[in-house]
C-alpha cells in the first residue's frame, strides 16, 4: 500500500492512512509513504536558494520543522514517543540546515548533494507515519528503504538494480511481515551498493511501491492518492473527467509517460513483469472502487480512453539540407542526446530536418552546442505535448480528423502518430495546452453517454 503526499499531508490524513491499513491487516500489508505534501518541493527550492546564495533557506527549514512538529503533536500523545520523534525531526532539519550552509559556502550543488537533500522529506514522513500507527495500536515499524532498494548512481533519477534489491527486500521485509509487523518504508529514496543516498525521480514513491512489491510475493499493489483512480483526464483541468474502472498496463504507462501525474511512468514495469495487479484508490473516498490496471484493455479497439499532457517541453529543430538522408545523420543526432542522458519524447522527420522534444531542459545548452556542427539548430521553449491515449488507433479511420476538428484554431507545432497503436500526440504552445485538452475532452468523452 503506497500513500502519496496528500494522503500523509496532515495529522488527520495520516490517521486516515492508519485506518486503511487497519482494515487490511489480515492481508499483511507493507506500507510505502511519500513526503508530506509540498515538502519535496520546499527541500529542492531551499537547495536552489542556497546554491544561488539567496536568502530564504532559514525560513524553509523553519517551515519544514513546523509542519512535522505539528504532525507529530497531532498524532503521538505518548510522551516518550513524542519526545523521541520531535528530537528526530529536529535532528534531520539540523542536518538539512548544515547541508544548505555547505551548498551556500561551496557554491556547488551536485546531483548527489541534491538527492541527499530531497530525500529528507521521506526520511521524516515514514518515521512519523510508523509512530502514528503504533500509537493507534497497529504493529507498525519504520524501515529505511536505503540499503534495501539498491540503485545505480544516476542521482536524481536512479535506476534500481533488481538482483540486490530483491535479495535485500526479501531478507529484511519477509521476516517482519511473517511475524505480523507492518513495515513502513519511505518511497522515492534508495541507495547505491555503497550506501550513498539516491532518489528515483520526482513522483518516485509509486516506483518504490512497485519495486518493493515486485520483490515480494505480493498479490496486489495499491497506490492510494487524492483522486478516485485514473480518470479520462486530470480532474483539476476538466471537471467532467470520468473514472476509468480498468486501464491496461500499456495505456497506463503511456498516460503516465505523457504527463498524467497520477502514476510515476516507470511504476508499471516491475509489476507487469510479475503479473501483479495494480490498483489506484482514493484515501479521501476509500470506498470508491478505483482503477484496476489490467494486462490487456477491456475497451473496444479504436476508442480514445484518456488524455494526458505535459508542459515545459522544448522542441529542438535540426535542419541540414545536405545531410539528413545521408547515412548516419540520425544516429549522430541520437548519440548526442544519449551522451547527455536526455530522453527524447516525440520525433518527426522530413527530407531535410528532424524535430525532437525533450522535457528536461537541464542539458539543453550543452546539447545545442553539440548539435551545432550537424546543421542549423533552433529551440522552441515553453511548449506542451498533448496525448490522446487509447487502443487500436492505427486501424481507426477518422480519429485524427476528429481531433484536429476539435482543436479548431489552436496551432499545432508537431504531431506524432503511428509509433504505437495506443497514442496520438501533438505539440502546442504551453499557453494553449489546457484549452486544447478541454476541447479534446469535450469531443471524445463528453458526447457519448458514460
Ligand atoms: P500522490 O501525492 O498521491 O502521488 P500525485 O499528485 O502525484 O499524487 O498524483 C495525483 C494527481 O494526479 C491528482 O490529484 C490529479 O490532479 C493528477 N492527475 C493527472 N492526470 C490524471 C488522470 N488522468 N487521472 C487522475 N489523476 C490525474
Ligand atoms: N516526495 C517525492 C516527490 O514529491 C516522491 C513522491 O511523492 O512520489 O516527488
Ligand atoms: Mg505521485
Amino acid at each position: 500500500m503506497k500513500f502519496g503526499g496528500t494522503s500523509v499531508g496532515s495529522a488527520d490524513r495520516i490517521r486516515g492512512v492508519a485506518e486503511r491499513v487497519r482494515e487490511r491487516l489480515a492481508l499483511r500489508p507493507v506500507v510505502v509513504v511519500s513526503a508530506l505534501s509540498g515538502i519535496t518541493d520546499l527541500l529542492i527550492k531551499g537547495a536552489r536558494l542556497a546554491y544561488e546564495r539567496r536568502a530564504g533557506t532559514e525560513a524553509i527549514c523553519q517551515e519544514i520543522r513546523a509542519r512535522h512538529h505539528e504532525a507529530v503533536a497531532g498524532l503521538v500523545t505518548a510522551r516518550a514517543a513524542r519526545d523521541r520523534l520531535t528530537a528526530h525531526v529536529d535532528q534531520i532539519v539540523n542536518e538539512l540546515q548544515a547541508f544548505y550552509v555547505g551548498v551556500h559556502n561551496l557554491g556547488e550543488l551536485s546531483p548527489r548533494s541534491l538527492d541527499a537533500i530531497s530525500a529528507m522529506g521521506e526520511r521524516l514522513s515514514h518515521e512519523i507515519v510508523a509512530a502514528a500507527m503504533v500509537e493507534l495500536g497497529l504493529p507498525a515499524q519504520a524501515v529505511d528503504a536505503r540499503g534495501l532498494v539498491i540503485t545505480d548512481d544516476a542521482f536524481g533519477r536512479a535506476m534500481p538494480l533488481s538482483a540486490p534489491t530483491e535479495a535485500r527486500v526479501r531478507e529484511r521485509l519477509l521476516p517482519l511481515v511473517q511475524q505480523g509487523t507492518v513495515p513502513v518504508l519511505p518511497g522515492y529514496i534508495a541507495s547505491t551498493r555503497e550506501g550513498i543516498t539516491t532518489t528515483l525521480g520526482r513522483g518516485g514513491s509509486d516506483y518504490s511501491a512497485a519495486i518493493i512489491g515486485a520483490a515480494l510475493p505480493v498479490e496486489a499493489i495499491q497506490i492510494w492518492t487524492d483522486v478516485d483512480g485514473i480518470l479520462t483526464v486530470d480532474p483539476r483541468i476538466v471537471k467532467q473527467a470520468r473514472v476509468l474502472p480498468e486501464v491496461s498496463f500499456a495505456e497506463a504507462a503511456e498516460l503516465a509517460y505523457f504527463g498524467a501525474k497520477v502514476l510515476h511512468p516507470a511504476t508499471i514495469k516491475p509489476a507487469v513483469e510479475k503479473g501483479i495487479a495494480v490498483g489506484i484508490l482514493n484515501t479521501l473516498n476509500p470506498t470508491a472502487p478505483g482503477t484496476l490496471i489490467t494486462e490487456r484493455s477491456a475497451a473496444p479497439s479504436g476508442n480514445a480512453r484518456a488524455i494526458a499532457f505535459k508542459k515545459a517541453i522544448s522542441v529542438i529543430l535540426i535542419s541540414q539540407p545536405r545531410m539528413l538522408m545521408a547515412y548516419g545523420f540520425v544516429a549522430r543526432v541520437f548519440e548526442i542526446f544519449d551522451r547527455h542522458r536526455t530522453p527524447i519524447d516525440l520525433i518527426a522527420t522530413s527530407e531535410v530536418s528532424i524535430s525532437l522534444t525533450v522535457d528536461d531542459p537541464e542539458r539543453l545548452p550543452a546539447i545545442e552546442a553539440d548539435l551545432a556542427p550537424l546543421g542549423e539548430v533552433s529551440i522552441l521553449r515553453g511548449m506542451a505535448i498533448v496525448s490522446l491515449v487509447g487502443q487500436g488507433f492505427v486501424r481507426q479511420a477518422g480519429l485524427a480528423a476528429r481531433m484536429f476538428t476539435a482543436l479548431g484554431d489552436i496551432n499545432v507545432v508537431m504531431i506524432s502518430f503511428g509509433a504505437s497503436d495506443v497514442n496520438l500526440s501533438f505539440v502546442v504552445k504551453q499557453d494553449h495546452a489546457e484549452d486544447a485538452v478541454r476541447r479534446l475532452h469535450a469531443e471524445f468523452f463528453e458526447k457519448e453517454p458514460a
Side-chain angles (χ1 to χ4, degrees), residues 165-175 214-217 274:
T165 299
E166 194 156 314
R168 294 187 194 202
V169 166
R170 282 178 171 261
E171 188 186 314
R172 251 331 273 295
L173 296 187
L174 273 183
L216 293 169
K274 300 268 165 122

Side-chain angles (χ1 to χ4, degrees), residues 142-158:
V143 178
D144 199 331
R146 295 173 300 169
L148 300 192
V149 179
I150 305 300
T151 66
D152 64 10
D153 63 356
F155 296 101
R157 50 182 162 197

Side-chain angles (χ1 to χ4, degrees), residues 71-72 134 186 342 355 373 404:
V72 171
V134 169
T342 298
S355 324
F404 284 114

Side-chain angles (χ1 to χ4, degrees), residues 342-364:
T342 298
I344 296 166
D345 285 335
L346 303 184
I347 305 166
T349 60
S350 81
E351 189 72 18
V352 294
S353 60
I354 176 163
S355 324
L356 312 154
T357 69
V358 301
D359 77 348
D360 180 0
E362 197 192 316
R363 310 286 302 164
L364 263 186

Side-chain angles (χ1 to χ4, degrees), residues 2 4-6 224-227 229-231 233-236 260-262:
K2 176 263 174 176
T6 41
W224 288 83
T225 183
D226 61 350
V227 285
I230 298 186
L231 286 85
V233 67
D234 187 341
R236 286 183 211 194
K261 195 182 154 213
V262 64

Side-chain angles (χ1 to χ4, degrees), residues 196-208:
I196 312 296
T197 300
T198 56
T199 68
L200 302 172
R202 294 307 307 273
S205 295
D206 300 335
Y207 197 12
S208 300

Side-chain angles (χ1 to χ4, degrees), residues 64-85:
I64 292 175
R65 197 189 299 269
R67 281 276 308 276
H68 292 87
H69 278 177
E70 201 180 308
V72 171
L75 286 163
V76 184
T77 48
R79 181 69 187 271
R82 199 174 60 203
D83 289 351
R84 184 186 63 77
L85 258 186

